[in-house]
């Protein structure tokens, strides 16, 4: 029998992820607080639910893709939330990027109510979500990951088991702190080269085949016009928001403080993204940090 999946949170990531489940033939009910986000899914054959209880009541699997900690707590733990209304024994998958402690707490509440729950944050950006090539980084019981695997495979290409509940979130945050640092480094290098008269396309090609190569340079170039189909080439829209990256760096700093682990570059990256957000760029894709770097230079030479 076709499995019934409830998908909650249909934004930049959740929208295309849910669409891939729809295309794969799952019986999908969807919910988002933003009506526009729901429409794209109903056009593709999903059923719009009026609220969370309606979305989850018959679902074998519930998947959530929400902005952050507070949204996840609300969607799972409120009286009108998932844990109060999901079908007995349902498998719950949270793919949002949140604090590992909160992921563990929510999973514990879910288990106490007889549900199975994994944290399964993703990497790969909006392009990976659309193409169904995301990387899932899973925390939770191995058996629960195996139950989730067929659905995850419709949305992603690589699926890693990082460890027990919360481990997926921890591994994801390590990755995103590194990503933040790499994006700033790539922006600085491109800005330096362009300031000295280099063509950013040529410089990108050189560094992509040299020891500075990295994902932000090769797949998600921050300089407009170097690469098609990336946020930089569409006014820094539709990608991974600066404020979401700032959220992830905050999560990284919380972990660093509680583990007494030194993260000097992560801390500095957070300061730069914070200043960029406060200057009004919070909703732009995080690769727009290049504009922040460019402005710094102009301010100094003026
Ligand atoms: P987004 O803001 O585009 O989408 C979040 C969606 O959740 C929105 O449509 C919003 O209306 C909905 N929502 C909020 N509260 C809700 C509620 N109570 N009930 C139902 N829906 C609710 O964010 P996104 O870019 O899709 O990111 C989602 C998560 O994935 C975040 O945790 C982010 O850190 C992570 N992530 C994003 C990217 C990326 O490239 N955008 C990449 C990897 C991971």
């Amino acid at each position: 029998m076709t499995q019934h999946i409830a998908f909650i949170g249909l934004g930049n990531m959740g929208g295309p992820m849910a669409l891939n489940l729809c295309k794969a033939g799952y019986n999908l009910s969807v919910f988002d607080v933003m009506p526009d986000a729901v429409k794209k899914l109903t056009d593709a054959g999903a059923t719009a639910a009026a609220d969370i209880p309606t979305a989850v009541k018959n679902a074998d699997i519930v998947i959530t893709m929400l902005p952050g900690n507070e949204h996840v707590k609300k969607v799972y733990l409120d009286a009108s939330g998932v844990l109060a209304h999901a079908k007995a024994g349902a498998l719950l998958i949270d793919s949002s990027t949140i604090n590992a402690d909160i992921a563990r707490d929510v999973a514990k509440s879910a288990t106490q109510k007889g549900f199975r729950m994994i944290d399964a944050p993703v990497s790969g950006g909006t392009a990976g979500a659309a193409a169904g090539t995301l990387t899932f980084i899973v925390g939770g019981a191995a058996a629960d990951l195996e139950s989730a695997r067929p659905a995850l495979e419709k949305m992603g290409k690589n699926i890693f088991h990082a460890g027990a509940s919360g481990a997926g979130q921890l591994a994801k945050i390590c990755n995103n702190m590194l990503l933040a640092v790499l994006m700033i480094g790539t922006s600085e290098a491109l800005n330096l080269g362009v300031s000295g008269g280099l063509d950013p396309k040529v410089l990108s090609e050189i560094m992509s085949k040299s020891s500075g190569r990295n994902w932000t340079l090769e797949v998600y170039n921050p300089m407009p016009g170097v690469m098609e189909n990336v946020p930089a080439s569409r006014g820094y829209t539709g990608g991974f928001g600066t404020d979401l990256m700032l959220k992830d760096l905050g999560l990284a700093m919380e972990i660093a403080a509680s583990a007494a682990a030194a993260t000097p570059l992560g801390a500095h990256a957070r300061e730069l993204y914070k200043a960029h957000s406060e200057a009004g760029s919070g909703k732009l894709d995080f690769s727009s940090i290049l504009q922040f770097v460019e402005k710094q230079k102009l301010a100094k030479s003026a």
Side-chain angles (χ1 to χ4, degrees):
M1 204 181 78
T2 311
Q3 271 192 319
H4 183 151
I5 298 183
F7 205 114
I8 301 169
L10 306 162
N12 288 332
M13 294 296 287
M17 288 165 73
L19 212 49
N20 281 329
L21 292 172
C22 217
K23 284 184 201 153
Y26 283 102
N27 178 0
L28 208 66
S29 55
V30 294
F31 176 72
D32 193 294
V33 286
M34 302 288 289
D36 279 1
V38 176
K39 191 177 176 306
K40 283 183 206 147
L41 267 298
T42 49
D43 286 350
T47 306
D51 48 26
I52 292 174
T54 317
V56 303
K57 68 178 180 197
N58 295 318
D60 307 295
I61 300 177
V62 177
I63 304 178
T64 46
M65 192 52 165
L66 299 159
N69 294 336
E70 297 313 314
H71 310 82
V72 171
K73 283 201 275 185
K74 182 174 160 55
V75 164
Y76 279 93
L77 306 177
D78 268 11
S80 60
V82 174
L83 298 194
H85 296 276
K87 195 165 94 172
L91 174 64
L92 315 179
I93 305 173
D94 180 34
S95 282
S96 329
T97 303
I98 63 164
N99 179 300
D101 288 337
I102 293 175
R104 271 188 288 269
D105 288 349
V106 174
K108 197 171 161 204
S109 302
T111 311
Q112 282 165 351
K113 293 194 166 219
F115 299 110
R116 298 163 293 149
M117 182 162 190
I118 57 174
D119 44 294
V122 303
S123 174
T126 45
T133 57
L134 292 170
T135 294
F136 283 91
I137 310 168
V138 176
D144 296 342
L145 164 55
E146 289 319 308
S147 303
R149 190 179 289 278
L152 299 185
E153 280 175 342
K154 303 295 182 300
M155 301 179 283
K157 205 168 61 173
N158 298 303
I159 300 168
F160 292 105
H161 189 201
S165 179
Q169 295 294 353
L170 179 54
K172 162 75 187 172
I173 285 304
C174 294
N175 178 74
N176 272 27
M177 185 182 75
L178 177 59
L179 173 64
V181 170
L182 289 172
M183 185 56 90
I184 295 169
T186 295
S187 297
E188 284 185 11
L190 288 171
N191 183 52
L192 179 66
V194 169
S195 308
L198 291 176
D199 178 333
K201 267 193 186 169
V202 174
L203 178 58
S204 293
E205 207 182 328
I206 292 168
M207 295 195 293
S208 296
K209 298 285 181 290
S210 303
S211 44
R213 67 182 290 205
N214 71 81
W215 187 87
T216 70
L217 190 61
E218 295 175 273
V219 180
Y220 210 92
N221 200 295
M223 185 69 81
V226 168
M227 211 168 257
E228 285 176 20
N229 300 322
V230 292
S233 294
R234 49 172 190 260
Y236 297 105
T237 59
F240 178 47
T242 291
D243 282 344
L244 286 177
M245 177 53 96
L246 190 54
K247 174 203 72 169
D248 288 0
L249 288 166
L251 293 174
M253 293 307 105
E254 283 169 25
I255 297 164
S258 70
T263 51
L265 289 183
H268 192 49
R270 187 188 179 206
E271 291 308 310
L272 296 178
Y273 275 106
K274 188 162 177 279
H276 186 43
S277 173
E278 284 169 1
S281 301
K283 299 286 170 253
L284 294 182
D285 180 74
F286 82 114
S287 61
S288 65
I289 196 75
L290 176 108
Q291 294 181 323
F292 181 81
V293 170
E294 286 172 342
K295 278 189 201 130
Q296 299 295 305
K297 178 179 174 281
L298 284 177
K300 274 200 162 181
S301 60

